[in-house]
Amino acid sequence: MRRRVLVPLILLATLALLMASTGETPTDVRHLLELVEKLRPLHTRLAPPRPGDWLDVHDEPGQTFREYLDSKPVTAHGKRKVIYIQPLGEFTKSQQAIVDGTAEFLRAYFQLPVMVKESWPESKVPAHARRRHPHWGDEQILTTYVLHKLLRPNLPDDAAAYLALTATDLWPGEGWNFVFGQASIRDHIGVWSIYRKGGPDGGEEAFRPCLLRTIKTASHEVGHMFSMHHCTAYQCNMCGSNSVEESDRRPLLLCPECLAKLLYTTGAEPLERFRQLVSFCKQHGLTVELHLYEQSMEAITGR
Ligand SMILES: [Zn+2]
Ligand SMILES: [Zn+2]
């Protein structure tokens, strides 16, 4: 008799604890698992790595949607749900359009508010945190200074991610030539440069690849900030990349397992998200990506 009363009480207490820990009822996991199965046939399994590829050099186990749920991921259900972009230094008109396009893409991709902060002059970075590359002569900014001296003290209370974007090259310190970007995931901060993404100042044919590379990196890195690990199962935006060439081979699309993680963490509605991504790709002439997003919508609606 005592047992029968105790068990429901324990269940109720556990349920109350779970609800208190997330603050909101999480998106229906069963619905997401059904969605994964609808989308799975559209996606290509990852082939064995080529020499020098990320998975050739790094031994990573990957992460299924179920493993993600078990990891108690960082979600956007609490107060940290805004993505901030912090422009740093001078931008040409086309480079500024890359910053604006990246903000617009992140808004559609995560279905979260994205704010572009007022630009910081490059003079915020003192001489001891800059250099000219000793052989190539490229001007470079020290990533650790931007992360720990500029971003961390200014992290907004509601920031899920606070990302500095610069057109100047970056290096992370002694022994390195350069770095594309660097993040401190635990601190919700990151810094990326478009310096090595291909110059966008040569008309549409130059602008488009630069935009595609920048939005791929930005969405991949914000994904990490929501506890998404590298994907080892599919061709996916969450695959690790060791070079621009490898990153160019990876799609902008998330595989179904990683998409389920994003929808869980943001609570986004999948069809509305795909609609907005289709509209972004149309506007920016990203035809390959547009086609894949349209196919995803068809797979979900059955039309
Ligand atoms: Zn990564
Ligand atoms: Zn994936």
Side-chain angles (χ1 to χ4, degrees):
M1 192 66 191
R2 229 168 137 192
R3 245 190 179 161
R4 259 185 244 153
V5 178
L6 255 181
V7 172
L9 270 179
I10 291 168
L11 278 176
L12 271 175
T14 313
L15 196 65
L17 260 177
L18 275 173
M19 290 179 77
S21 65
T22 57
E24 278 173 42
T25 310
T27 313
D28 185 354
V29 170
R30 194 170 42 92
H31 173 71
L32 290 174
L33 288 168
E34 286 167 11
L35 187 85
V36 168
E37 294 315 316
K38 282 184 186 171
L39 292 171
R40 207 184 287 283
L42 295 180
H43 293 266
T44 312
R45 289 273 172 186
L46 201 56
R50 298 180 191 177
D53 273 2
W54 183 268
L55 285 177
D56 184 43
V57 182
H58 300 88
D59 189 17
E60 291 185 339
Q63 181 193 44
T64 63
F65 176 46
R66 285 200 183 274
E67 286 166 345
Y68 178 77
L69 293 177
D70 290 343
S71 75
K72 297 191 175 62
V74 172
T75 70
H77 301 304
K79 68 168 186 172
R80 292 201 176 277
K81 56 179 69 179
V82 181
I83 298 167
Y84 287 91
I85 293 180
Q86 176 64 68
L88 172 64
E90 296 293 309
F91 290 89
T92 64
K93 209 170 156 218
S94 305
Q95 289 170 337
Q96 184 57 50
I98 295 283
V99 176
D100 296 340
T102 302
E104 192 189 336
F105 178 76
L106 290 176
R107 215 169 274 136
Y109 186 94
F110 287 100
Q111 296 284 294
L112 292 174
V114 178
M115 313 275 286
V116 181
K117 303 255 291 177
E118 201 178 317
S119 186
W120 280 342
E122 210 169 286
S123 57
K124 267 186 106 71
V125 184
H128 70 81
R130 297 155 177 272
R131 73 166 184 180
R132 265 188 190 281
H133 187 280
H135 307 301
W136 310 332
D138 308 58
E139 285 217 31
Q140 297 181 312
I141 290 177
L142 186 63
T143 47
T144 48
Y145 185 89
V146 178
L147 289 173
H148 303 304
K149 301 291 182 199
L150 298 181
L151 293 177
R152 196 159 58 189
N154 290 294
L155 180 75
D157 289 340
D158 58 356
Y162 187 23
L163 311 173
L165 208 54
T166 176
T168 307
D169 201 18
L170 298 169
W171 105 105
E174 277 300 305
W176 288 80
N177 279 324
F178 70 91
V179 72
F180 297 111
Q182 195 178 344
S184 174
I185 289 166
R186 197 190 46 198
D187 295 322
H188 308 277
I189 52 178
V191 52
W192 284 277
S193 169
I194 61 170
Y195 187 77
R196 292 174 190 273
K197 301 281 186 201
D201 288 297
E204 235 179 76
E205 290 311 307
F207 184 82
R208 204 176 298 130
C210 179
L211 177 69
L212 183 57
R213 285 173 178 156
T214 308
I215 60 178
K216 252 188 212 177
T217 309
S219 50
H220 174 106
E221 297 301 337
V222 176
H224 281 320
M225 290 185 188
F226 288 116
S227 310
M228 290 165 71
H229 292 185
H230 280 150
C231 188
T232 58
Y234 289 92
Q235 281 277 13
C236 173
N237 188 22
M238 286 313 292
C239 290
S241 288
N242 245 353
S243 61
V244 173
E245 183 274 325
E246 187 180 5
S247 174
D248 283 349
R249 267 189 277 134
R250 305 295 173 219
L252 182 63
L253 245 74
L254 286 171
C255 80
E257 299 277 345
C258 295
L259 174 66
K261 299 174 201 174
L262 181 142
L263 296 174
Y264 175 82
T265 192
T266 58
E269 204 283 302
L271 262 186
E272 179 54 24
R273 174 179 180 272
F274 280 129
R275 247 179 237 122
Q276 290 181 21
L277 289 168
V278 161
S279 158
F280 179 90
C281 291
K282 271 187 188 156
Q283 191 189 335
H284 294 282
L286 301 174
T287 47
V288 174
E289 291 74 18
L290 168 67
H291 181 60
L292 292 169
Y293 284 134
E294 282 178 337
Q295 278 187 323
S296 303
M297 285 178 75
E298 285 164 16
I300 295 177
T301 57
R303 271 176 268 142

